[in-house]
Amino acid sequence: MKILMLGQGPLPSSSEPFCSFPQLRTWSIYNALQEWSKQYGHTIELVLVHDGRQTEGLNVYSSTDMMSLYNKANNCDVALTAGPFHPLIALMHLPNSIPLWLDYPSDPLADRDARNRKSPLSNSEWNFLSELTINALHRADAMGVISKRQYWATIGQRLGISATDIPIAYVPIAFEFPRPMRNSTGTDILLAGSNNAWLNIEKLTDHLKGQTIHCTGITVPGLASTPLPKEWKQYGWLPPIDLDRVIDNCGFGVWADEQGVEPLLGSRTRALFYIWNGLTPVGDTTTELALTLYKGGHMSSWSDIQPFTSVNIESAQQYCHTHFGPKTAYKGLLEWLQSPSIKHKRPNSSTHEENLRLRETLRKIHTSPTWRIGSTVHKWINNIRSVDRK
């Protein structure tokens, strides 16, 4: 069996400083698929898609590149996406004749809500995401969601399009990162990841007065975010070896959630990243993952009298390895790949016509002589992109 995998690059490496959640999700699922495929003699064709600012992979806004993707897919037996955003656009260019696993590792409508709370979206941006989401839900033959709460929300979305008869699996963030797991012995505080629409900088500022804060990552191209306090040490995106040196100074990793639906349905990559690196996570228990970790004694909360109290890191790492290790996280996906089948229903005529209209709109954007990278669609993608999806 030949499997086409759509993800976002560049993949994490010793020389790549920028590592967003979509990149990490692609890297991790690809690792799991490669190991699994060796047992059964399958082949994996990884196609990285991007927004035009990279050279590796296919541009989702290029009609030529998307035709190339269509031709690649016709030579494959099954397709799957990994991570949010660009793969949702690319899957519109896949033939309907092959089964598709849709990785749905956040609710795009919840992400839209979070972005809109900070900076209202235009009607065209709002509607584009609605159309993109509906198209993805119609096309999916199986789905993976990032939390058990999102499972129920996704059933509701599928009820909304009268298409409930496909499997939906719980596929959490894998407890797996490119650098070896370790135990930091520092005492400072780390804020890692992106300054996305659901990171509450104001709340962090209140809680972290008088502390030594190291900030890595944070900046997301095209996303206007709440500025960090000037007294916090800001490094930007660091190569892995330099990131390790910063982490060595820290004993705690922090975040704070904005109010909204995203924390209710999403997860927190930051929490797992901190534990992987031997830091005690300190944050809100809004997300399903954070609440689970807190109840198990594997993180601290802002509601604690003394939030900066270390947990047993070895115990936390073992817990995460057991419950969120790749073999556990991707079980549903790998089981489906044993016998993939087409389950999606052909949309009714009105929905089908709307899908064709959407494709034609994109085609005009692709071929327009006035097309610029800063187009409305491109701005929307950049505005709600997140490094730490959860």
Side-chain angles (χ1 to χ4, degrees):
M1 182 169 66
K2 188 172 183 180
I3 302 169
L4 175 70
M5 177 178 170
L6 289 176
Q8 186 171 322
L11 298 184
S13 70
S14 59
S15 60
E16 175 57 43
F18 185 72
C19 185
S20 65
F21 171 75
Q23 293 166 269
L24 186 62
R25 184 79 165 179
T26 299
W27 170 82
S28 183
I29 292 179
Y30 185 53
N31 286 346
L33 285 180
Q34 285 185 307
E35 182 177 343
W36 171 82
S37 64
K38 292 176 183 177
Q39 303 177 41
Y40 302 98
H42 303 315
T43 59
I44 314 296
E45 176 157 359
L46 174 63
V47 176
L48 301 177
V49 293
H50 60 84
D51 59 5
R53 292 184 298 173
Q54 300 168 10
T55 57
E56 181 184 6
L58 301 179
N59 182 354
V60 296
Y61 303 136
S62 164
S63 56
T64 301
D65 282 2
M66 290 301 95
M67 179 58 70
S68 175
L69 173 62
Y70 180 86
N71 293 333
K72 287 177 182 290
N74 270 323
N75 293 321
C76 295
D77 302 297
V78 63
L80 64 94
T81 64
F85 304 123
H86 299 137
L88 289 185
I89 298 177
L91 70 82
M92 290 194 298
H93 301 275
L94 300 181
N96 291 323
S97 56
I98 62 173
L100 171 72
W101 172 280
L102 176 66
D103 188 36
Y104 209 55
S106 69
D107 190 307
L109 302 183
D111 294 353
R112 177 181 66 181
D113 174 71
R115 173 65 182 87
N116 191 61
R117 285 170 181 264
K118 285 204 168 182
S119 181
L121 301 172
S122 67
N123 288 338
S124 60
E125 291 170 326
W126 184 277
N127 293 334
F128 180 79
L129 181 52
S130 295
E131 294 173 334
L132 199 63
T133 302
I134 290 173
N135 179 76
L137 291 170
H138 268 299
R139 179 59 184 86
D141 298 297
M143 298 178 67
V145 296
I146 207 166
S147 71
K148 295 173 183 177
R149 297 174 185 173
Q150 195 198 354
Y151 172 87
W152 297 111
T154 301
I155 286 181
Q157 291 179 3
R158 298 202 64 83
L159 282 169
I161 62 170
S162 301
T164 58
D165 298 330
I166 71 162
I168 303 173
Y170 168 52
V171 184
I173 299 169
F175 187 60
E176 179 183 36
F177 295 88
R179 303 290 286 177
M181 189 165 59
R182 62 208 187 101
N183 192 344
S184 178
T185 57
T187 58
D188 293 346
I189 297 170
L190 176 69
L191 173 60
S194 74
N195 191 352
N196 52 36
W198 39 92
L199 179 65
N200 191 329
I201 295 298
E202 291 86 354
K203 183 174 182 177
L204 282 176
T205 302
D206 290 339
H207 282 295
L208 299 176
K209 291 178 179 177
Q211 305 274 14
T212 301
I213 315 300
H214 301 268
C215 303
T216 63
I218 300 302
T219 307
V220 181
L223 177 62
S225 304
T226 304
L228 303 181
K230 293 181 179 180
E231 61 269 23
W232 293 5
K233 298 181 180 181
Q234 302 178 39
Y235 304 91
W237 293 99
L238 294 171
I241 191 169
D242 294 329
L243 177 60
D244 287 347
R245 293 192 184 101
V246 173
I247 294 174
D248 286 339
N249 295 313
C250 301
F252 301 89
V254 298
W255 76 91
D257 293 330
E258 291 280 6
Q259 293 184 345
V261 182
E262 192 283 332
L264 178 66
L265 301 180
S267 189
R268 282 296 169 264
T269 305
R270 284 182 173 97
L272 296 180
F273 177 77
Y274 293 149
I275 292 173
W276 181 272
N277 285 283
L279 307 180
T280 293
V282 183
D284 289 316
T285 56
T286 325
T287 66
E288 181 179 286
L289 172 64
L291 184 60
T292 299
L293 293 174
Y294 184 70
K295 287 182 176 179
H298 306 307
M299 67 166 277
S300 296
S301 166
W302 297 123
S303 62
D304 293 339
I305 296 175
Q306 297 291 340
F308 294 104
T309 301
S310 298
V311 301
N312 185 323
I313 285 298
E314 291 184 359
S315 175
Q317 290 175 338
Q318 183 57 52
Y319 178 87
C320 291
H321 176 74
T322 300
H323 293 276
F324 306 115
K327 290 184 179 179
T328 302
Y330 301 131
K331 182 179 179 181
L333 167 60
L334 299 180
E335 287 180 347
W336 182 78
L337 283 173
Q338 296 281 9
S339 183
S341 61
I342 294 177
K343 293 284 188 180
H344 71 271
K345 296 179 181 179
R346 296 185 65 86
N348 59 40
S349 58
S350 61
T351 304
H352 181 60
E353 290 170 1
E354 183 65 11
N355 184 32
L356 292 178
R357 185 198 64 76
L358 180 58
R359 290 193 186 202
E360 176 62 16
T361 299
L362 285 175
R363 186 194 66 78
K364 290 179 180 179
I365 292 174
H366 296 155
T367 58
S368 170
T370 61
W371 169 249
R372 295 292 183 269
I373 294 300
S375 68
T376 298
V377 174
H378 175 77
K379 287 179 181 177
W380 167 79
I381 291 292
N382 281 332
N383 282 342
I384 69 169
R385 179 192 283 125
S386 163
V387 172
D388 177 358
R389 166 106 354 239
K390 324 298 99 179

